[in-house]
Amino acid sequence: MERKRLGDLLVEAGVITEDQLQEALKKKKNRQKLGDVLVSLGYLNEQQLIEVLEFQLGIPHVKLSSIPIDTTLLKFIPKEFALKNLVFPIEKKDRELTVAMYDPLDFYTIDDLTLSTGLQIRPVIATREDIISSIYKYYNGKDQLNETAAASTNVSEAAEESVVALVNDILEAGIQLKASDIHIDVQESKLIVRFRIDGLLRTERILSKSVHSALIARMKILGNMDITENRLPQDGRMKLSKYKTIDMRISILPTIYGEKVVIRLLDLQNIRKDISEVGFNKVNLQRFQKLIEKPSGLVIITGPTGSGKTSTLYAALNHLNTEEVNIVTIEDPVEYELEGINQVQVNPSIGLDFSTGLRAILRQDPNIIMVGEMRDKETVEIAIRSALTGHLVFSTMHTNSSIATIPRLNDMGVESYLVVSALQGVLSQRLVRKICPDCREAYEPSEMEKELFQKRGLQIDKLFYGKGCIHCRQTGYKGRLAIHELFILDDEIRQLLYNQKSMQEVEKACLKKGMLFLLDDGLLKAKSGLTTVREVLQATMS
């Protein structure tokens, strides 16, 4: 194969410009692949990368999940090397070893493999996710713990090492595949390992039931839990030394077949540092920025569990975090640690709940307060009084829409005039799946879709969907984005609420002022090809 460099090849093919290549080379860190940097900068997508290599150099493209894997070939490439360089052995014929590579122009890796195996290396292309999934699926693919060692209480040193390797494998696979949660479900005769990726659970691995007790014991040790307790739920948290930026929350729940584990992976690097990265459209971004820069008042973010409320709250706090202000939060639990912000963890077992913590915070001369969640009347009342006495207070609630937050607060027994006086605005948020950029296609909208857009005052001539490809595992979606509804209380809206007008009248007034409801923001994002109408409707149906 002619030894061309990837960057030069992409410039020759007209996929990127020389300036873009130089920019990517400047940003590229030591072990980073140039392709990864170009994709992260948005200069091309993974599909374009594969097409250039396939057509320009004639390197075949393989889908590892649909070809038989000969596990005897794994001895040729150590797992650490495979992960570091994103390579996977798939076939050996005579003195030639076919290796799937994310970057088949990585000649240093090809030379290393030639030396270590004594074979001629034939590179083929596979996607990053395909290679990572295969490494975790097939290396140490057996249960890594023999039945007798697992069943015995006196676990041998070898079995202990084995279960450590198994747990590390599961955690690393979840991190590499960008899972938000790892589920280890226990059934009558087996364990099922599932990853939640882009909001959906999918099975990654099936293990023998024999490894269950050793695996649970290892999880409890990692999470600093009571290893002898197996009848009560337990919670713990940990950080893997290899991944200092990943915080893991471990929850163990006893079921009829044994203890089930759910690990939430919190990637500290993914905390959106800037509110411009939350996914607001231009209008909502300006309005939200203006709202959070007010000197006092109450700002609430609403949405179901897992709708990205915490990320948006932290982005707002980061935006306001300067040395001139004292920011204090009370959370349950503290999900991410933020530099320069005083964070308090709720601990009901010693009497430190939201209301007690909030009272203590008010004696700490705060400018900005964040209350993780307003769950009871007492917490809401203290938060509202704090907002009325010159503090800027942020919090979250679970309501179907932004406007519905007002009757919800009233239902909690808080005086209506206090709510209306203190509340500055409510942001309602949902997450929808993004169309995979590698298989996105336009189509002509149906009559029903045209009618839906017309009802919201929007005209469309085309919409988009993902037809499914290897990059998105045939789902048509890759990644998620937020859709928003921002309700701001100005003097006119406050007057309507003081006069106890219905929520329908308030809604009409907001509509006249150009407020975008969740459905509108979602449809605008569908129109621009970011998501599908189906995703928007699923997220906004209350």
Side-chain angles (χ1 to χ4, degrees):
M1 189 183 1
E2 192 187 338
R3 294 211 159 193
K4 280 196 172 182
R5 290 186 308 180
L6 179 63
D8 298 336
L9 195 69
L10 291 167
V11 173
E12 273 175 40
V15 176
I16 60 168
T17 64
E18 183 62 43
D19 288 349
Q20 288 173 329
L21 172 60
Q22 293 310 320
E23 175 72 13
L25 289 168
K26 268 186 218 161
K27 295 203 169 173
K28 181 178 174 294
K29 290 176 185 147
N30 273 349
R31 278 177 54 182
Q32 254 185 316
K33 301 274 184 198
L34 178 63
D36 277 346
V37 182
L38 289 163
V39 170
S40 71
L41 290 169
Y43 294 155
L44 79 168
N45 60 42
E46 208 175 1
Q47 183 62 35
Q48 287 172 301
L49 199 60
I50 286 170
E51 280 172 5
V52 168
L53 295 168
E54 203 170 4
F55 297 126
Q56 299 286 107
L57 294 179
I59 302 172
H61 172 220
V62 295
K63 183 180 171 187
L64 296 177
S65 52
S66 62
I67 59 171
I69 299 296
D70 180 356
T71 51
T72 62
L73 301 178
L74 302 181
K75 64 182 183 223
F76 288 110
I77 303 179
K79 182 181 166 191
E80 285 300 312
F81 185 91
L83 263 180
K84 182 182 169 185
N85 299 289
L86 295 179
V87 294
F88 190 84
I90 53 175
E91 191 183 28
K92 181 180 176 287
K93 274 186 185 168
D94 303 323
R95 303 297 303 156
E96 184 181 77
L97 181 68
T98 303
V99 178
M101 300 181 71
Y102 175 61
D103 178 3
L105 294 183
D106 182 351
F107 295 108
Y108 293 113
T109 297
I110 292 171
D111 290 344
D112 285 348
L113 287 173
T114 305
L115 282 169
S116 63
T117 62
L119 300 169
Q120 191 182 339
I121 303 300
R122 175 179 170 256
V124 294
I125 316 161
T127 66
R128 177 193 189 84
E129 192 177 272
D130 214 2
I131 291 173
I132 290 168
S133 281
S134 298
I135 290 170
Y136 286 114
K137 190 172 177 182
Y138 294 106
Y139 278 87
N140 308 321
K142 292 170 187 170
D143 287 348
Q144 301 167 304
L145 206 60
N146 64 50
E147 304 245 346
T148 50
S152 163
T153 49
N154 183 20
V155 182
S156 69
E157 206 173 299
E160 244 176 76
E161 280 177 21
S162 197
V163 81
V164 167
L166 173 63
V167 170
N168 286 351
D169 254 13
I170 291 168
L171 296 177
E172 283 195 21
I175 291 163
Q176 295 280 7
L177 295 171
K178 295 185 169 62
S180 60
D181 302 87
I182 298 171
H183 288 238
I184 301 171
D185 298 311
V186 56
Q187 297 188 357
E188 195 172 4
S189 60
K190 61 189 174 186
L191 295 182
I192 295 176
V193 180
R194 296 186 294 166
F195 293 167
R196 188 178 292 282
I197 297 171
D198 294 340
L200 295 180
L201 277 169
R202 66 181 191 213
T203 300
E204 281 295 320
R205 201 158 171 180
I206 294 172
L207 302 171
S208 159
K209 181 79 179 273
S210 63
V211 306
H212 180 250
S213 56
L215 191 146
I216 295 294
R218 176 66 184 157
M219 287 295 182
K220 286 178 180 173
I221 290 165
L222 288 173
N224 203 17
M225 295 177 241
D226 182 354
I227 201 165
T228 60
E229 178 57 72
N230 56 16
R231 295 165 304 164
L232 291 171
Q234 291 194 69
D235 293 303
R237 67 192 298 176
M238 59 170 275
K239 276 192 177 92
L240 271 186
S241 55
K242 186 175 175 183
Y243 294 100
K244 286 187 179 144
T245 59
I246 305 284
D247 202 356
M248 299 183 195
R249 293 218 308 265
I250 306 172
S251 168
I252 293 183
L253 181 74
T255 73
I256 55 168
Y257 293 124
E259 291 168 289
K260 169 185 163 72
V261 183
V262 175
I263 304 144
R264 171 150 283 195
L265 303 175
L266 300 163
D267 189 344
L268 306 185
Q269 285 183 319
N270 276 355
I271 305 175
R272 295 190 167 99
K273 297 289 181 194
D274 200 286
I275 51 172
S276 63
E277 294 167 41
V278 170
F280 287 112
N281 66 44
K282 281 181 186 173
V283 178
N284 278 342
L285 177 61
Q286 287 169 347
R287 288 178 180 173
F288 186 67
Q289 201 162 326
K290 201 172 166 187
L291 173 68
I292 64 172
E293 286 171 358
K294 289 187 182 247
S296 65
L298 177 62
V299 175
I300 298 175
I301 299 182
T302 78
T305 305
S307 60
K309 297 189 296 291
T310 308
S311 296
T312 304
L313 263 183
Y314 283 170
L317 292 180
N318 270 319
H319 180 74
L320 300 168
N321 189 11
T322 63
E323 62 174 30
E324 290 89 35
V325 292
N326 177 22
I327 303 176
V328 191
T329 77
I330 178 153
E331 305 168 63
D332 181 22
V334 171
E335 288 201 21
Y336 298 111
E337 291 162 22
L338 299 172
E339 203 177 328
I341 290 175
N342 309 287
Q343 293 170 277
V344 179
Q345 167 89 41
V346 164
N347 188 349
S349 62
I350 56 164
L352 177 56
D353 55 17
F354 278 116
S355 53
T356 314
L358 195 45
R359 281 197 190 92
I361 286 169
L362 289 168
R363 296 192 286 274
Q364 288 277 317
D365 182 32
N367 301 93
I368 299 164
I369 302 166
M370 192 265 266
V371 185
E373 194 178 336
M374 297 196 294
R375 295 174 185 166
D376 55 73
K377 182 185 175 184
E378 196 179 2
T379 307
V380 175
E381 281 184 338
I382 304 168
I384 284 175
R385 292 192 188 280
S386 309
L388 290 170
T389 53
H391 303 92
L392 181 60
V393 182
F394 290 97
S395 193
T396 70
M397 285 184 83
H398 295 268
T399 59
N400 281 338
S401 71
S402 53
I403 295 172
T405 305
I406 290 175
R408 175 74 207 283
L409 288 167
N410 293 340
D411 290 345
M412 289 174 88
V414 185
E415 291 290 347
S416 181
Y417 74 93
L418 286 175
V419 172
V420 178
S421 304
L423 194 61
Q424 294 286 0
V426 183
L427 177 75
S428 188
Q429 179 168 313
R430 302 285 186 278
L431 288 180
V432 293
R433 289 184 293 167
K434 282 160 76 174
I435 297 173
C436 169
D438 296 306
C439 61
R440 185 175 67 179
E441 284 198 358
Y443 70 93
E444 193 177 327
S446 66
E447 287 307 313
M448 196 189 285
E449 285 169 331
K450 283 178 184 170
E451 199 180 314
L452 173 66
F453 276 82
Q454 276 164 5
K455 274 185 184 170
R456 311 302 293 187
L458 298 166
Q459 293 298 318
I460 45 160
D461 51 13
K462 63 178 177 180
L463 285 171
F464 301 85
Y465 80 111
K467 65 176 184 180
C469 66
I470 50 166
H471 307 284
C472 59
R473 295 196 169 193
Q474 307 304 325
T475 61
Y477 296 99
K478 199 172 184 185
R480 291 193 290 176
L481 82 152
I483 57 172
H484 301 100
E485 173 179 298
L486 185 56
F487 169 47
I488 291 174
L489 283 80
D490 60 12
D491 293 341
E492 188 190 329
I493 299 293
R494 279 203 173 86
Q495 206 52 53
L496 289 172
L497 291 164
Y498 281 135
N499 294 332
Q500 297 187 326
K501 298 291 181 188
S502 71
M503 287 303 119
Q504 282 81 359
E505 285 179 80
V506 172
E507 206 170 290
K508 277 180 193 168
C510 289
L511 202 57
K512 277 182 191 168
K513 290 174 180 290
M515 172 175 155
L516 283 174
F517 291 90
L518 271 175
L519 180 60
D520 303 319
D521 191 37
L523 291 178
L524 282 168
K525 282 168 179 166
K527 185 181 176 179
S528 61
L530 292 170
T531 188
T532 61
V533 173
R534 185 182 172 191
E535 275 291 299
V536 172
L537 292 176
Q538 278 182 335
T540 56
M541 280 193 295
S542 52

